[in-house]
């Protein structure tokens, strides 16, 4: 009965004041296209997404839930915890062992970030327009839809989601109602824990900013007196220790690999050939990562500091401290990856929303006396902001509506396996001939076996021999030429694909080995 009364109240309130419903509906509708439209059109991307996809599909196919594998061998290169793999493997049981299952956790996290900015950020800043503006900025910023962003099966979008929840929960813990402080403290610790179980040590990267803000607010002593902080913290550390011990027991040497790949290795040494100057992330933001809002961000910060109400100014400064300390921290690292800046995006988006909304509010309060007219002008201002957002939104839509499937020969193996599954369903066994690391090929070999009962083997020209009658394919012209010099081949299928570099194409060719050349 209480629930029905509450629902009736919310519906009646929504009819009397439709603005919150309009703002929420607009974000949900507009958010579908950049996050979910044609999410599964591109084949699995090389390097990290493909490695994650293999870890997840082998887990879904009966692998260990604690110690992921790669090609059914212990995984000691991708040493991240398994939370993302759990989500991907679970989705594979629902939507199939495909690209959608691999990318859906990131897409949902991306839309979730926008909804948190709209609802939670708007509540904390005491301004629905501020939350809405922040959500619009987040779903139109270019870097969020690039490598490791909201449309790829990588760790980072999920990491950003949990870090944002932890940051806003800590803010509520410090500045919210004392009646709910323990709940928000628990939520903050859980969110940090989930961030750690998403991307290992990166889940701790907001802690310096949280500590600094707590110190600046003069609340460090009060926080240290909270017994629940130690209780929740010890609970999380216990779970973490159990996981690390269990995985080390299953895969001896895991902790050493974890230290090399995730802890000290990346911070003090350049790994994966990814150096960069201290200014690397700041330069990228200005060039293209945070475009086009990089031009509005400084003005929004200034407007917020000058015109925001106390609650808005405090939240704006909080975002500045957290986003700034995070960027300084990753800038000090020797290893630079362009997507390491993603956790700072929601804070920059909130700064933009809070600054612009406070400026709008101050102008309306100063020059417009009638409150109903103020509301009308606020809607008009938001409409103008929508017009400004059309170009960046359209630019992102152009990428997702007509996704460009290019890459090198390496990426065409998955496309050709899909092509053969559709055009030659009678083929139940053939061999892929490759010459380099290709995790995407391994994923599609697993997928063909699980989904279609097709066994796709793998051979190297310089290491294996081929038997008469054997069916095989390759997407490398030099490998095909080498095979033609050694064997008589009968071509069965040929498909031409564009590749990203050199304005050229490559042919994937399925053939039957007839006999050795005499």
């Amino acid at each position: 009965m209480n629930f029905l009364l509450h629902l009736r109240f919310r519906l009646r309130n929504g009819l009397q004041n439709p603005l919150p419903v309009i703002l929420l509906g607009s974000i949900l509708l507009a958010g579908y296209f950049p996050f979910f439209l044609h999410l599964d059109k591109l084949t699995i991307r090389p390097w990290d997404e493909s490695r994650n996809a293999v870890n997840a599909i082998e887990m879904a196919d009966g692998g260990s839930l604690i110690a992921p594998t790669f090609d059914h061998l212990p995984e000691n290169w991708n040493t991240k915890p398994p939370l993302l793999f759990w989500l991907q493997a679970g989705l594979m049981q629902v939507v199939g062992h495909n690209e959608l299952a691999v990318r859906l956790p990131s897409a949902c996290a991306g839309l979730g970030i926008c909804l948190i900015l709209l609802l939670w950020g708007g509540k904390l800043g005491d301004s629905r327009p501020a939350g809405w503006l922040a959500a619009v900025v987040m779903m139109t910023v270019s870097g969020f839809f690039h490598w490791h962003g909201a449309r790829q099966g990588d760790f980072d979008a999920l990491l950003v989601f949990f870090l944002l929840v932890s940051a806003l929960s800590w803010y509520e813990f410090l500045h919210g109602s004392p009646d709910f402080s323990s709940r928000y403290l628990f939520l903050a610790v859980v969110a940090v824990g989930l961030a750690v179980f998403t991307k290992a040590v990166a889940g701790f990267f907001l802690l310096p900013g949280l500590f600094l803000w707590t110190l600046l607010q003069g609340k460090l002593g009060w926080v240290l007196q909270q017994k629940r902080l130690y209780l929740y913290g010890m609970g999380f550390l216990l779970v973490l220790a159990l996981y690390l011990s269990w995985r080390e027991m299953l895969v001896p040497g895991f902790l050493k690999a974890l230290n090399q790949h995730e802890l000290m290795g990346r911070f003090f040494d350049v790994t994966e050939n990814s150096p960069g100057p201290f200014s690397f992330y700041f330069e990228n933001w200005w060039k293209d990562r945070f475009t086009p809002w990089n031009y509005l961000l400084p003005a929004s910060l200034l407007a917020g500091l000058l015109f925001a109400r106390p609650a808005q100014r405090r939240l704006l400064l909080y975002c500045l401290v957290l986003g700034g300390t995070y960027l300084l921290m990753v800038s000090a690292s020797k290893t630079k990856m362009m997507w390491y800046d993603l956790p700072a995006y929601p804070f920059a988006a909130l700064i933009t929303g809070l600054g612009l909304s406070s400026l709008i509010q101050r102008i309306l309060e100063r020059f417009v006396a009638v409150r109903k007219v103020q509301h009308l002008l606020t809607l008009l201002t938001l409409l103008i902001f929508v017009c400004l957002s059309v170009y960046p939104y359209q630019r992102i839509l152009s990428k997702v509506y007509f996704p460009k499937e290019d890459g090198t020969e390496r990426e065409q193996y998955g496309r050709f396996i899909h092509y053969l599954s559709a055009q030659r369903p009678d083929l139940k066994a053939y061999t892929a001939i490759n010459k380099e690391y290709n995790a995407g090929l391994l994923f599609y070999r697993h997928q063909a076996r699980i989904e279609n009962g097709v066994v796709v083997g793998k051979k190297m020209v310089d290491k294996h021999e081929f038997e008469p009658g054997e069916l095989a394919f390759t997407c490398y012209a030099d490998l095909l030429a080498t095979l033609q010099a050694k064997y008589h081949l009968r071509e069965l299928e040929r498909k031409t694909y564009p590749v990203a570099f050199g304005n050229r194409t490559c042919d994937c060719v399925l053939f039957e080995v007839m006999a050795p050349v005499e």
Side-chain angles (χ1 to χ4, degrees):
M1 180 64 70
N2 290 336
F3 169 76
L4 294 177
L5 291 174
H6 176 73
L7 179 61
R8 179 182 177 186
F9 170 78
R10 297 295 295 179
L11 290 173
R12 183 168 57 187
N13 189 57
L15 292 174
Q16 294 174 352
N17 182 18
L19 180 60
V21 177
I22 293 173
L23 296 180
L24 176 60
S26 66
I27 295 300
L28 288 173
L29 179 62
Y32 166 78
F33 298 97
F35 291 114
F36 298 102
L37 183 66
H38 295 169
L39 188 61
D40 59 346
K41 289 300 181 183
L42 294 180
T43 52
I44 295 295
R45 301 294 86 187
W47 308 116
D48 291 357
E49 185 184 53
S50 59
R51 191 100 186 182
N52 296 340
V54 171
N55 295 152
I57 199 170
E58 291 187 1
M59 184 179 288
D61 194 34
S64 171
L65 294 175
I66 301 299
T69 58
F70 183 82
D71 204 6
H72 299 293
L73 297 174
E75 173 66 279
N76 268 347
W77 183 84
N78 189 357
T79 52
K80 304 292 191 301
L83 179 58
L84 175 65
F85 308 142
W86 291 344
L87 296 175
Q88 293 171 328
L91 285 167
M92 287 177 184
Q93 307 298 334
V94 178
V95 301
H97 301 72
N98 51 39
E99 298 87 350
L100 183 62
V102 172
R103 294 170 181 151
L104 205 53
S106 294
C108 291
L111 181 60
I113 290 166
C114 294
L115 293 177
I116 288 174
L117 291 173
L118 169 67
L119 301 173
W120 204 351
K123 167 183 170 290
L124 293 178
D126 193 26
S127 172
R128 291 192 184 99
W132 184 85
L133 291 170
V136 171
V137 169
M138 196 68 196
M139 73 168 57
T140 54
V141 68
S142 59
F144 197 41
F145 297 91
H146 206 262
W147 288 100
H148 284 245
R151 289 181 61 89
Q152 290 198 345
D154 292 303
F155 304 97
D156 300 86
L158 201 60
L159 171 71
V160 175
F161 177 84
F162 290 129
L163 289 180
L164 179 61
V165 172
S166 70
L168 296 185
S169 299
W170 189 259
Y171 187 87
E172 291 265 27
F173 167 63
L174 292 179
H175 304 294
S177 170
D179 296 335
F180 301 102
S181 62
S182 62
R183 298 181 186 179
Y184 283 113
L185 175 60
F186 177 75
L187 182 57
V189 174
V190 169
V192 170
L194 292 173
V196 171
F197 271 83
T198 298
K199 204 177 179 185
V201 70
F204 292 122
F205 280 9
L206 284 188
L207 295 187
L210 296 176
F211 175 82
L212 178 59
W213 177 260
T214 305
L215 184 64
L216 292 174
Q217 295 298 298
K219 292 197 172 189
L220 183 60
W222 174 77
V223 168
L224 294 177
Q225 294 174 6
Q226 304 302 307
K227 296 180 180 179
R228 292 179 183 270
L229 175 65
Y230 303 100
L231 177 64
Y232 300 153
M234 290 299 294
F236 160 65
L237 292 177
L238 177 61
V239 173
L240 181 61
L242 287 173
Y243 158 71
L244 293 175
S245 302
W246 195 351
R247 188 160 175 179
E248 174 67 21
M249 181 178 65
L250 293 173
V251 185
F254 163 73
L255 293 179
K256 181 179 179 181
L258 178 68
N259 180 64
Q260 177 183 353
H261 293 300
E262 305 296 338
L263 302 179
M264 299 304 160
R266 290 178 182 263
F267 194 86
F268 292 106
D269 298 302
V270 175
T271 62
E272 300 181 30
N273 194 29
S274 299
F278 183 84
S279 59
F280 178 80
Y281 297 108
F282 300 98
E283 292 175 1
N284 283 350
W285 269 43
W286 188 254
K287 289 178 182 177
D288 59 2
R289 293 282 291 171
F290 204 70
T291 55
W293 309 113
N294 51 337
Y295 301 106
L296 270 180
L297 181 60
S300 301
L301 176 60
L302 180 61
L305 294 175
L306 293 176
F307 304 122
R309 296 191 297 270
Q312 291 178 323
R313 186 179 296 111
R314 185 174 63 187
L315 180 59
L316 183 145
L317 289 172
Y318 181 69
C319 293
L320 181 63
V321 168
L322 263 61
T325 54
Y326 175 83
L327 284 176
L328 289 174
M329 188 171 178
V330 295
S331 296
S333 172
K334 295 292 185 182
T335 300
K336 301 289 195 305
M337 300 287 191
M338 68 172 67
W339 52 87
Y340 285 2
D341 64 355
L342 286 175
Y345 284 27
F347 303 115
L350 260 179
I351 290 173
T352 305
L354 289 166
L356 290 177
S357 66
S358 61
L359 177 61
I360 295 167
Q361 189 65 32
R362 176 58 64 93
I363 292 173
L364 293 177
E365 290 175 352
R366 185 174 181 85
F367 297 104
V368 182
V370 181
R371 192 166 183 82
K372 288 187 176 181
V373 178
Q374 288 184 3
H375 290 323
L376 182 62
L377 290 178
T378 299
L379 288 174
L380 180 61
T381 305
L382 293 179
L383 182 60
I384 295 173
F385 188 83
V386 168
C387 295
L388 294 175
S389 306
V390 167
Y391 170 69
Y393 186 74
Q394 184 273 334
R395 185 175 60 173
I396 291 172
L397 286 190
S398 66
K399 293 180 180 179
V400 304
Y401 195 82
F402 299 106
K404 187 178 180 182
E405 179 73 272
D406 46 26
T408 64
E409 286 85 351
R410 185 203 324 262
E411 284 79 66
Q412 313 314 322
Y413 277 76
R415 298 179 71 182
F416 194 61
I417 291 175
H418 277 174
Y419 171 80
L420 292 179
S421 296
Q423 300 298 320
R424 299 292 297 270
D426 56 304
L427 293 179
K428 294 303 179 183
Y430 53 89
T431 301
I433 305 172
N434 189 37
K435 66 177 181 179
E436 58 186 341
Y437 169 80
N438 193 342
L441 171 58
L442 180 55
F443 172 80
Y444 286 108
R445 289 172 58 210
H446 286 321
Q447 182 194 53
R449 174 180 55 82
I450 297 170
E451 295 286 328
N452 301 315
V454 177
V455 177
V456 181
K458 185 185 74 170
K459 285 187 176 181
M460 311 285 279
V461 171
D462 56 345
K463 295 182 179 179
H464 300 94
E465 298 295 326
F466 295 83
E467 300 295 329
E470 184 173 355
L471 301 183
F473 82 92
T474 185
C475 296
Y476 289 95
D478 58 330
L479 295 186
L480 183 61
T482 300
L483 286 166
Q484 288 173 332
K486 297 174 64 177
Y487 302 93
H488 295 288
L489 306 178
R490 183 169 68 93
E491 184 176 314
L492 302 177
E493 292 283 348
R494 179 184 291 262
K495 187 71 174 175
T496 302
Y497 299 108
V499 295
F501 306 107
N503 191 27
R504 59 190 179 86
T505 61
C506 80
D507 289 340
C508 293
V509 180
L510 174 72
F511 53 84
E512 180 183 1
V513 177
M514 303 304 293
V517 174
E518 296 298 334

